[in-house]
Amino acid sequence: MRIIDLSVPIQPSPPGVPEFQRVSITYSGNAQGGAEIEQMFGVPRELLRNGEGWATETFTNFGTHSSTHVDAPLHYNSTIGGEPAQSIDQLPLEWFFAPGVALDFRHKADGEVVTVEDLIAELSRIGHTLKERDIVLIRTGRDEFYGQPDYWLRGPGVSADATRWLFAQGVRVMGIDAWGWDAPLDRQAAAAREGNAPGVFWAAHQVDLPYSQIERLANLGALPPSGFQVACFPLRLVGGSAAPARVVAILN
């Protein structure tokens, strides 16, 4: 068995990363832990191995969408199909461990969309027929820009029709190695304003379907097109619209 990490590293963001996607972490080392033990419990540091205690870390800025994460239907709308949208802790765990399929769309330019026809052609190329609960991973190659200030402005997106088509094939979890499942927000916003029409901005998110997205994936190039399992269990965040996940592919 071989395990391939498909998650981005969680670490403090470099300068220039926009505040809304910034990760900040405070690190407390073993020496400080020793001092805390002495202060809290009166145990002198000389009674601890090397005078050290616990090391800890605290997220001072870390959103549920800040790293590799799984979105719940609640992220897209408050109601889905006329019912209250499910939060991340309400989704079936069976969704998050299933056969994976990696589809290559690196040729798509920033702002382009992956269409139904694109999906069908790529599945035909790799010789795979989608099965119910397959986890479909869209490779764009934009993970190489992760951590850069313009990362969120890069990548193609998946069209609303393509999202509906995947759902109709029984897919409930679909992921991408870019900032978001839709095309970059600035391009969507410009198109929505120009057309003055609903259903343009965040179109694939708001298709009114109960499905999950995995966003900010990485390392999809290490995968074969199929023949692997994906494990992408999100943290059990009660009422959450999303939760971070350590996403891995398991190959026999």
Side-chain angles (χ1 to χ4, degrees), residues 144-166:
E144 68 174 295
F145 299 104
Y146 181 76
Q148 297 185 15
D150 63 347
Y151 169 67
W152 69 289
L153 302 175
R154 293 182 177 271
V158 181
S159 74
D161 284 343
T163 303
R164 294 187 189 97
W165 185 83
L166 288 171

Side-chain angles (χ1 to χ4, degrees), residues 60-132:
T60 54
N61 193 48
F62 184 61
T64 55
H65 302 262
S66 293
S67 62
T68 303
H69 64 277
V70 178
D71 285 335
L74 179 60
H75 180 50
Y76 321 138
N77 282 109
S78 61
T79 60
I80 299 290
E83 300 291 336
Q86 293 167 293
S87 57
I88 198 69
D89 58 303
Q90 295 173 326
L91 297 176
L93 290 177
E94 290 78 12
W95 281 16
F96 305 113
F97 184 70
V101 185
L103 305 181
D104 192 348
F105 291 105
R106 287 174 294 164
H107 60 281
K108 289 282 188 178
D110 292 342
E112 279 194 87
V113 293
V114 175
T115 66
V116 174
E117 293 73 22
D118 291 329
L119 292 175
I120 293 173
E122 177 65 1
L123 286 164
S124 176
R125 184 187 72 82
I126 67 174
H128 183 84
T129 300
L130 286 177
K131 301 180 294 297
E132 188 172 356

Side-chain angles (χ1 to χ4, degrees), residues 29-248:
N30 298 100
Q32 186 172 343
E36 290 174 357
I37 291 171
E38 186 171 44
Q39 181 181 22
M40 293 171 64
F41 302 105
V43 178
R45 272 176 277 187
E46 55 267 23
L47 301 183
L48 303 172
R49 185 174 181 272
N50 297 329
E52 296 178 336
W54 43 64
T56 62
E57 299 74 39
T58 302
F59 288 113
T60 54
N61 193 48
F62 184 61
T64 55
H65 302 262
S66 293
S67 62
T68 303
H69 64 277
V70 178
D71 285 335
L74 179 60
H75 180 50
Y76 321 138
N77 282 109
S78 61
T79 60
I80 299 290
E83 300 291 336
Q86 293 167 293
S87 57
I88 198 69
D89 58 303
Q90 295 173 326
L91 297 176
L93 290 177
E94 290 78 12
W95 281 16
F96 305 113
F97 184 70
V101 185
L103 305 181
D104 192 348
F105 291 105
R106 287 174 294 164
H107 60 281
K108 289 282 188 178
D110 292 342
E112 279 194 87
V113 293
V114 175
T115 66
V116 174
E117 293 73 22
D118 291 329
L119 292 175
I120 293 173
E122 177 65 1
L123 286 164
S124 176
R125 184 187 72 82
I126 67 174
H128 183 84
T129 300
L130 286 177
K131 301 180 294 297
E132 188 172 356
R133 300 298 182 269
D134 274 356
I135 295 177
V136 174
L137 307 178
I138 303 296
R139 183 185 179 195
T140 71
R142 294 335 191 264
D143 54 320
E144 68 174 295
F145 299 104
Y146 181 76
Q148 297 185 15
D150 63 347
Y151 169 67
W152 69 289
L153 302 175
R154 293 182 177 271
V158 181
S159 74
D161 284 343
T163 303
R164 294 187 189 97
W165 185 83
L166 288 171
F167 188 88
Q169 312 312 305
V171 176
R172 293 297 178 268
V173 178
M174 43 196 92
I176 194 166
D177 63 350
W179 190 82
W181 183 253
D182 274 285
L185 296 179
D186 63 328
R187 297 170 186 259
Q188 295 178 62
R193 291 193 305 266
E194 181 179 354
N196 193 31
V200 175
F201 187 85
W202 231 34
H205 280 72
Q206 295 192 322
V207 290
D208 198 26
L209 293 174
Y211 77 102
S212 277
Q213 301 171 4
I214 317 171
E215 295 178 325
R216 324 277 162 83
L217 288 165
N219 206 26
L220 297 187
L223 299 177
S226 59
F228 59 92
Q229 298 285 116
V230 175
C232 54
F233 297 105
L235 294 178
R236 193 178 181 182
L237 175 60
V238 175
S241 66
R246 184 68 176 269
V247 183
V248 301

